[in-house]
Amino acid sequence: GMAATAFGGRNLGEAADVFEAMVRDRDCFRVLTISGAMTIAKQGLVVCEMIDRGWVQAIVATGALMTHGFVEAAGMTHYKHRPSMNDEELFAKGYNRVYDTLELEQNLDDTEKIVSAVLDGVPEGTVLASHVITEALGRHLEAHADGRAILKSAVAHGVPVYIPAFTDSELGLDVAVYNRRREMAGKVRRAFDPFLDLEHYADHIRAHETIGIFTIGGGVPRNWAQQVGPYLEISEKRLGVAEPVRRFRYGVRICPEPVHWGGLSGCTYSEGVSWGKFLPPTEGGRFAEVLSDATVAWPLGVRAVIERTSR
């Protein structure tokens, strides 16, 4: 109903319309990209709902987001921060602050132990990539954790989870510590190749003529997911290999960043058309952009589409 109002309400209502069309298009391969502290902000169940309903076929996220989500999935807890709390005191007592929420350092220490045990279970000689690690962590949650979790749902539905800037996170540091521990024990480091993620993702995109993207925030997850069309294009041009043309037909973006700051998080889908990432509206492209805090707009939009598609 908000689509019939104005300003931010209209933007959200129209975004729900585009998202509904994306969900109802059975030929569409749908990619969810997420940045920002969305799991520490309790939005993990929104992601689970989207996966479990078959609305998402691939996820691209930050490592921090997946780390905080894994913390809760493994039974650990985040806490509400009070403005009166002193950051120096918090550090001294083992609390890390993420805006208005606290993560215990002990949570991260305990998570590292789980990550190490999970990596020990990955066959020797396997070259690691983020989607390999997230799948292994999801299988651990499937076997040991009660309740819903992003990586658990992803494994259950065959949805790969990619973390392009993998080393920029506690999860990445956990793998670094794991490799250093192996070296100290006289073992060979486990190899990690981020280009395996790129090719794995590109193969999924190659296999689908219609693709859509649902973006929370921006940053590396957004651009990494969007650049697949140009990657295929320049591969054909520079290598002389046959590649399909792939442009996102649908796009929904929820992010408070305005375009005039010049950052990728705020750039428009129209700008992406100039890069060959999106189909222009004249060729069937449908896009919606909501300049809002995702913790407000995202659950409302998803709930609206749940109601519409459940009728």
Side-chain angles (χ1 to χ4, degrees), residues 16-127:
D17 293 340
V18 175
F19 185 41
E20 180 186 2
M22 193 192 315
V23 165
R24 290 188 183 277
D25 188 337
R26 296 188 178 183
D27 295 326
C28 184
F29 183 86
R30 295 172 287 270
V31 182
L32 172 64
T33 81
I34 330 168
S35 62
M38 290 294 106
T39 45
I40 209 169
K42 307 296 185 184
Q43 303 304 297
L45 290 182
V46 181
V47 181
C48 289
E49 196 68 31
M50 293 174 73
I51 297 171
D52 293 341
R53 288 178 177 272
W55 293 356
V56 175
Q57 283 73 52
I59 294 174
V60 186
T62 66
L65 195 150
M66 286 298 147
T67 302
H68 297 310
F70 188 84
V71 162
E72 292 203 340
M76 293 170 271
T77 308
H78 295 116
Y79 295 93
K80 183 178 178 180
H81 170 261
R82 293 193 307 273
S84 61
M85 292 176 171
N86 179 281
D87 286 316
E88 289 180 69
E89 250 183 88
L90 288 173
F91 173 75
K93 293 180 178 179
Y95 291 89
N96 306 300
R97 181 163 70 88
V98 182
Y99 181 43
D100 60 0
T101 306
L102 300 177
E103 174 84 88
L104 282 88
E105 185 66 23
Q106 187 61 51
N107 286 352
L108 302 177
D109 290 339
D110 292 342
T111 296
E112 186 270 330
K113 294 174 185 175
I114 299 173
V115 171
S116 290
V118 168
L119 290 176
D120 279 340
V122 176
E124 291 287 339
T126 301
V127 178

Side-chain angles (χ1 to χ4, degrees), residues 112 116 119 172-191:
E112 186 270 330
S116 290
L119 290 176
L173 298 183
D174 289 347
V175 176
V177 168
Y178 174 79
N179 265 333
R180 292 187 69 180
R181 186 178 288 120
R182 282 177 66 94
E183 282 186 324
M184 291 168 68
K187 297 180 180 179
V188 178
R189 296 171 64 92
R190 303 297 297 268

Side-chain angles (χ1 to χ4, degrees), residues 211-287:
I211 53 177
I213 190 167
F214 190 108
T215 289
I216 300 298
V220 172
R222 179 187 183 188
N223 189 67
W224 189 88
Q226 290 178 176
Q227 71 180 2
V228 65
Y231 173 56
L232 297 178
E233 182 181 349
I234 65 175
S235 293
E236 182 168 60
K237 177 182 175 182
R238 298 174 188 176
L239 300 175
V241 297
E243 291 282 14
V245 175
R246 292 291 180 262
R247 306 281 187 267
F248 284 100
R249 178 177 294 275
Y250 304 98
V252 174
R253 177 173 71 93
I254 302 176
C255 178
E257 176 119 358
V259 66
H260 59 259
W261 296 132
L264 176 68
S265 296
C267 80
T268 62
Y269 284 125
S270 178
E271 180 181 310
V273 169
S274 78
W275 285 86
K277 297 174 180 178
F278 300 96
L279 280 176
T282 54
E283 296 180 25
R286 291 192 63 183
F287 312 111

